Structures are given as C-alpha cells and as structure tokens.
Amino acid sequence: MKLGYGLKTRSRRVVQDSSMAAAASEEAGNDGLKQSCWANMPQELLREVLMRIEASENSWPLRRNVVACAGVCRSWREIMKEVVGTPEISGKLTFPISVKQPGPRESLLRCFIRRNRSTQTYYLCLNLTQGWKFLLAARKYRRPTCTDYNISLHVDDMSKGSNTYVGKLRSNFLGTKFIVYDGLPPNPGAKIMKSRSTRLLSSKQISPIILSGNYPVAHISYELNVLGSRGPRRMNCIMDVIPASAIEPGGVAPTQTEFPLSNIDPFPSLSFFRSKSSRAEIFPTGASIDQRDQALVLKNKSPRWHEQLQCWCLNFHGRVTVASVKNFQLVASVENGQSGPEHDKVILQFGKVGKDAFTMDYRYPLSAFQAFAICLSSFDTKIACE
C-alpha cells in the first residue's frame, strides 16, 4: 500500500514538474522574443528601415514583405502598424484587419468577385496589375425560411466558431430584405445585450468587457416589382453604424483596429426591419450611431435609357462589360440632408465582366467587408423584384 501510494505521489509530482517546466519554457521563449537582437534595435534606425521597406514594397505580392516584418516581434509590429496606416490614409489593403476598415476617400479601391456555382462560394480578391490577392470568401447556406452567406478570412473554414470568421449576410424568404452582421463590435465602445448566443470573449489578448455575438451593421432592401415592369432593381441600404456626416469633409466612420483571437458564437434568428424602437433593443449599445446624427442611407444610382442600345445604362468607366440586372452603383441618398457634391460620388459599384466574374469598387466610408456583403445580396434570387 505504501509502495503504491508512493508511486502515485511520484507520478503526480512528475506531471506537475513537467507542466511547470513547459510553462517556464514558454515564458522564457516569450521573454527571449521580447529581448531578441531584433527587438533591441534602436527605434530611430528601426523606424527608418521599416519605412523604406513599406515605401518600396507598395503592391502585392511584394507587399508580403511588409506583413513579414510585422511578424518579427511586438516592437516591429507596432511600428509597422503606424507606418502602414489604414486604407483610408494609405489606400492599400495590407493586414487582415484592413478588410474591416473604411476604404480611401479620394478614389475607388478596385476589387473583383469570382463565383463558384458548384460549391456556392464567392471569392473577393484585390485587383492587381498582374494577378490578384485573396481577401475574403463567402459561402451560401440555404435555410427553410432564409439564406445565409457566411464570410471568412479563410476559404476552407467558414464555421462561425472559427477565429477567421468575419460576419455574415442573412436574407428573408423572398430575398428582398437582408441584414449584414459583424461578428465583432464595430467600434471599441460597443456593447450588446446578453443572451444565450452572447458570451464574454475568453482570449487573454483582449479586454474581457468585449462580447461576442451578432452586431447588425446594415439593412438592405430591394423594392418589390408589383407591376412587373422591366428595368433595373431598386435597392436601399441603411448603414446603421455609419453616420450620414461620414461622407462630408472631415466626417468619421467607425474603424476597427484588430481581430481578437477568439471564437464567435452563432447568431440567433431575428426578424427583419423592425420599428426604430424595437430595433434599438437589438442593436448593441454604443455600436449604433449617435442619436443626434442620422444613419447613412445609400441608394442605387438611377440609370438612363439608351435609345440606340435599347437598354438601361450606367457609366462604370470601363469596369463593367456585361449587361446584367445585378449591376448597380450606390450613392448617398439626399434623405441625409441637402444635396451636395458628396452625394454624386459613387461609394460602391458592382458589375458583371464574365460568366462568373464581377468587379467590386468601393470607397470611404464603406469597408471591404461591408461592400462585399452588399454585393452578395445582389446574387440572391429575387423573384418578386424582377
């Protein structure tokens, strides 16, 4: 009996000692990374080197060197994040978080979407002079009463519990109304009401007050074609977390800064387009815009009828080559205030260039994720709108 007890005690001690040794080695590894020769370079010299790398590698695939520098150690990453800047400032998509940040103000960021009919998968890529750069992927899931498009940073992992999960688009049964959900708070002060599908993020890298759940960031509706008249679709987008003032000079839109390394819980079923009073109960407190400001409303730009071609036409400046009912251009609605030059700027345009190839160009205050979700709504079948 004593011998058996001794063996158990010894085995337990060995297990404890090994776990403590593993923890100590991991801590020593982290300290070693922090105190490595790369981390101890003079800050002025390091910043100058990283700035030259960022300036020289200004396009993909060379831009992967910028990402590699950000992965050396923490001090390199912080400096590189300052040097690169957000897409609004730099006009470039560099890090994964860039797809959640607003695009450039003065120009359209050119992307394209490829559709795989067999797998019901859509790929958002960045337009390059030679080739392309993958950004996001979405997959279509049919439900009994709705359709979901899960959006992810990884084409092979669309699960809602993955740390590559970005958000989703959900339609109603007719495919006329959609809600865009963000898997993370659209701004740092966002909160959400607790429910069975909401929990605290457990990652040590983020603040424990941030909750995972569903954050509605946009509502999209397509006008019903009751009379069956021919013509383009009429769509309306309410950007719930973007104020109408964001399109004005000096206006600001919410900008996310990083992805927390944590899983995201599934979304519950929610009804579509509730009244303002009931919708406010769903929205996370702080995620919606200020009560004194209105939400940005986008509407499709009205095309003109071309007598010679006998079709509806929009000027896509050579970015669209195939006529399709899916083609559209979105501008700010004059409902947000008096009409001005900012209301004439195309914020998002989408059009067909091949059997399963489409272009997507967007600018501030939309992010690549938000623009991609809006374009996905155009793929869904809309019998009542055509």
Side-chain angles (χ1 to χ4, degrees), residues 61 67 94 125 129 139 160 167 182 215 221 237 293 360 374 380 382:
V67 179
T94 305
C125 305
T129 306
R139 185 163 296 157
K160 299 174 185 176
D182 197 331
Y215 295 84
S221 63
C237 301
D293 204 346
M360 187 198 88
I374 294 174
D380 211 49
K382 301 169 180 60

Side-chain angles (χ1 to χ4, degrees), residues 33 121 123 196 207 211 216 231 240 244 289-290 294-295 331 377 382 385:
L33 179 63
T121 306
Y123 309 93
R196 287 181 298 178
S207 172
L211 296 170
D240 299 296
I289 61 172
D290 193 295
Q294 295 181 347
V331 295
S377 70
K382 301 169 180 60
C385 300

Side-chain angles (χ1 to χ4, degrees), residues 41 292 336:
M41 289 182 62
R292 295 169 296 179
N336 298 132

Side-chain angles (χ1 to χ4, degrees), residues 100-146:
K100 301 292 287 292
Q101 298 173 336
R105 288 182 180 267
E106 301 302 327
S107 61
L108 289 168
L109 200 55
R110 295 188 171 188
C111 307
F112 71 92
I113 299 173
R114 290 197 177 277
R115 175 177 57 184
N116 188 326
R117 293 175 182 264
S118 60
T119 61
Q120 293 290 291
T121 306
Y122 304 83
Y123 309 93
L124 175 65
C125 305
L126 185 64
N127 255 15
L128 302 178
T129 306
Q130 296 180 349
W132 49 272
K133 171 71 173 73
F134 171 81
L135 299 177
L136 291 169
R139 185 163 296 157
K140 184 177 182 179
Y141 297 92
R142 292 189 180 275
R143 314 294 185 192
T145 59
C146 64

